[in-house]
Amino acid sequence: MAHPISEHVGYLALPGRYELFEKSISAVVRPGDVVADLGCGVGVLGIQCLEAGASEVYGIDSSEAIHLARETMVRAGLTDRYHCISASTYSTDLPEKVDVLICDHVGHFGFDYGIVDMMRDARTRMLKPGGRIIPDRLSLRIAGVTSEAARSKALAWRQEIIPEPFRWLDEFAANTKYGHEFTPEDLCTQDVAIGEIDLLCDEGDLFSFKATLRAKGDATLDGLGGWFDAHLGGGVWMTNSPLEARSIGRPQAFLPLKNAVEVKEGDEIGVKVRAGADGKLIAWSVEPPRQRGPAQSMSTWASMVLSEGDLTKRSDRPAHLSNDGENARYVLALVDGERTPAEIEQIVLQERPDLRGTRRATREYVQSVLARSTSA
Ligand SMILES: C[S@@+](CC[C@H](N)C(=O)[O-])C[C@H]1O[C@@H](n2cnc3c(N)ncnc32)[C@H](O)[C@@H]1O
């Protein structure tokens, strides 16, 4: 995972993105609005909402970036109006309902960073009836791509430099979605609209899109490129299309083929993309004309890294506390509303110094249990 310092300056450096949000926020946010900045990072979108007249913003982020947001608000003198919450949006209960939800969760392909699930949950639990959301609509586009640079990402585990015991990971590689910056020349078919997602409506847990792509010339079809046009509000659209000068320059999604296919000008290629609302599960299939090769189906399900425990977990048996669960129960039983975290740590170090093998590991364990399960 990128360090928040390099990650978030990257978002600010995307050409035109800041201005597009500014324009849409000024159209959507009204004076006095209360806003939830979902996945706020260092707090950029929330500050833009305050500048547009919002009275208060709740900024929620589950990464270390929230600490940078908090310090930013201190330095900007905004701590009375921008409230930082260090948590996942799914586990956050706000003290009041908000007028506006805002996020930049559009990933590479619109739905692949989990915006559908996150907005649905936040809309249901945090938004006032009739509230507004940014973005509120996604339009998805797709094209066949020919690109050695993209292909090499999917073939990385086949390289000579990879020691033999790891070559099996090649099976995962073709079932993985990559971020890649395509040029217009990389698109070997016409691009087509493959679907729309209305983030204000409940669209279900599974999306299914179909399209027919037509080859522009003779080419090696390496896979599919997918991108978004996101309606931020007030008629302002934000895209990462490789064909648009107004693109914010964010990479597109690359969905590779297991085996590249040689296509001829005018060939029609059937394409299906199915995706879960959490953005993690994406399945794509590509059907070239029969004489060019067989249909191919790929899915991120086939590249999910699951532990043995994940695979054997059964939901129809009684649950028992694991060792870790027992330890957490012991630590949390010491939380009585009176003791400070430092006092609880001291008690554990006296009573059970070897809870985690060494005092250092025990101390860090107590701190992590208290950090995720208590509030000051
Ligand atoms: C694409 S960045 C956008 C940051 C910021 N909103 C901006 O526009 O500059 C997404 C941020 O959302 C956070 N995030 C992702 N899913 C989240 C969730 N369910 N709850 C809280 N934060 C989340 C990540 O840690 C990351 O900082």
Side-chain angles (χ1 to χ4, degrees), residues 9-303:
V9 78
Y11 301 132
L12 276 169
L14 290 173
R17 188 194 80 122
Y18 187 90
E19 291 76 11
L20 290 172
F21 270 106
E22 192 168 54
K23 218 165 149 195
S24 72
I25 286 168
S26 69
V28 174
V29 173
R30 300 175 192 152
D33 274 351
V34 180
V35 177
D37 184 359
L38 308 171
C40 65
V42 295
V44 175
L45 304 183
I47 289 194
Q48 287 184 291
C49 291
L50 288 177
E51 283 167 353
S55 59
E56 269 182 286
V57 175
Y58 295 96
I60 310 165
D61 203 287
S62 50
S63 76
E64 290 167 306
I66 195 69
H67 307 304
L68 304 177
R70 193 173 282 126
E71 180 62 20
T72 301
M73 302 312 153
V74 171
R75 288 171 186 241
L78 292 172
T79 47
D80 53 337
R81 296 169 66 207
Y82 194 112
H83 314 289
C84 290
I85 301 171
S86 170
S88 158
T89 55
Y90 295 99
S91 55
T92 299
D93 291 320
L94 293 180
E96 60 186 316
K97 298 258 186 196
V98 302
D99 303 284
V100 177
L101 300 171
I102 188 166
C103 74
D104 174 11
H105 255 56
V106 284
H108 300 130
F109 203 173
F111 58 82
D112 53 329
Y113 195 52
I115 193 169
V116 175
D117 251 358
M118 190 184 73
M119 274 296 197
R120 176 166 51 192
D121 171 68
R123 241 181 37 226
T124 311
R125 299 187 304 106
M126 299 179 185
L127 192 63
K128 288 180 187 167
R132 288 144 274 144
I133 67 175
I134 303 175
D136 60 9
R137 206 162 358 129
L138 300 172
S139 172
L140 313 174
R141 296 194 75 83
I142 199 161
V145 291
T146 180
S147 160
E148 262 185 47
R151 181 99 204 125
S152 65
K153 291 181 180 171
L155 296 179
W157 288 93
R158 278 190 210 173
Q159 297 173 89
E160 290 238 323
I161 198 170
I162 306 294
E164 207 287 321
F166 304 102
R167 295 273 177 93
W168 69 276
L169 287 164
D170 181 48
E171 290 163 33
F172 278 46
N175 288 292
T176 297
K177 180 213 75 169
Y178 300 87
H180 189 79
E181 268 184 76
F182 292 105
T183 64
E185 295 70 44
D186 293 334
L187 309 189
C188 63
T189 72
Q190 308 293 355
D191 67 307
V192 298
I194 195 169
E196 296 251 336
I197 298 177
D198 184 344
L199 295 165
L200 272 166
C201 295
D202 272 331
E203 299 241 29
D205 287 327
L206 197 67
F207 297 92
S208 198
F209 306 116
K210 257 186 188 178
T212 302
L213 303 174
R214 186 182 294 273
K216 291 197 282 191
D218 297 359
T220 304
L221 179 69
D222 288 311
L224 305 172
W227 58 92
F228 61 80
D229 214 352
H231 183 245
L232 301 182
V236 179
W237 290 81
M238 178 173 84
T239 185
N240 63 339
S241 165
L243 297 168
E244 300 269 3
R246 65 186 172 94
S247 164
I248 58 166
R250 182 177 284 173
Q252 298 82 39
F254 171 50
L255 305 174
L257 281 174
K258 266 184 207 134
N259 301 300
V261 176
E262 296 305 322
V263 292
K264 300 276 177 217
E265 184 176 354
D267 275 354
E268 291 200 341
I269 301 144
V271 168
K272 274 191 210 150
V273 176
R274 276 165 298 148
D278 67 358
K280 289 185 188 139
L281 197 61
I282 306 174
W284 59 104
S285 62
V286 175
E287 197 173 341
R290 200 169 303 149
Q291 67 274 25
R292 309 276 181 253
Q296 298 184 41
S297 296
M298 284 65 53
S299 165
T300 55
W301 175 246
S303 61

